[in-house]
Amino acid sequence: ALAGSLADKDAVVRWQAVRTLSSFVERGDEYAVTAITVHMENADVGVRCAVEAALVEIAGTHSRATMGNVIKLLEHPNDDVKSSAVATLSKVVKPDNDEALGMVGDLLEHSDESVRDAAVAALEQLASKGSNGGVRLV
């Protein structure tokens, strides 16, 4: 029943389903991460924000599966989805992750201003102070 709510036409129902799912699944549950990440593509910004919050709660900052799922969304054709994915990525990977730094760094030259802004904010979180990660990208 809850899985069906993730695909409900009503954005409020989807948002509640994501939040409910994140409250009772085990941390690191890759099935839940995959099921939730699908909803990052939703046009409703509220749903994408709920997905981001749920992913941070479920996956934490060390989940390779979560990182892989979110990185796929960096190629999404919708710039709003792409911006949300950048913001989420910066919260679910460890600082100084070379793969994440490189992918986010590439978005600094994206044609959409919101994607570029999200990339700058993400780089501030991904490159730890004193690291060379941020310097290599500039």
Side-chain angles (χ1 to χ4, degrees), residues 14-16 18-19 36 45-55:
R14 289 189 308 264
W15 182 85
Q16 289 173 336
V18 170
R19 296 300 295 164
I36 291 171
V45 69
V47 172
R48 291 194 310 269
C49 288
V51 170
E52 178 181 323
L55 286 174

Side-chain angles (χ1 to χ4, degrees), residues 42-125:
N42 193 288
D44 186 286
V45 69
V47 172
R48 291 194 310 269
C49 288
V51 170
E52 178 181 323
L55 286 174
V56 171
E57 289 177 33
I58 294 171
T61 59
H62 304 289
S63 171
R64 194 87 181 127
T66 303
M67 183 177 141
N69 285 327
V70 175
I71 282 177
K72 290 176 192 171
L73 294 172
L74 296 178
E75 301 297 325
H76 197 278
N78 182 308
D79 289 336
D80 292 335
V81 170
K82 201 174 291 189
S83 293
S84 293
V86 172
T88 301
L89 185 64
S90 70
K91 295 176 180 141
V92 297
V93 299
K94 293 186 273 186
D96 296 325
N97 179 297
D98 287 337
E99 183 178 4
L101 283 167
M103 300 218 46
V104 173
D106 289 345
L107 295 174
L108 290 172
E109 296 181 21
H110 193 275
S111 61
D112 184 79
E113 183 178 1
S114 67
V115 173
R116 291 192 308 271
D117 289 346
V120 169
L123 286 173
E124 290 174 357
Q125 291 183 310

Side-chain angles (χ1 to χ4, degrees), residues 4-49:
S5 295
L6 290 171
D8 195 278
K9 291 180 181 181
D10 186 336
V12 173
V13 172
R14 289 189 308 264
W15 182 85
Q16 289 173 336
V18 170
R19 296 300 295 164
T20 301
L21 184 60
S22 70
S23 70
F24 72 81
V25 299
E26 288 186 40
R27 190 168 189 82
D29 183 324
E30 289 187 21
Y31 175 78
V33 165
T34 301
I36 291 171
T37 304
V38 168
H39 297 283
M40 285 288 295
E41 297 183 50
N42 193 288
D44 186 286
V45 69
V47 172
R48 291 194 310 269
C49 288

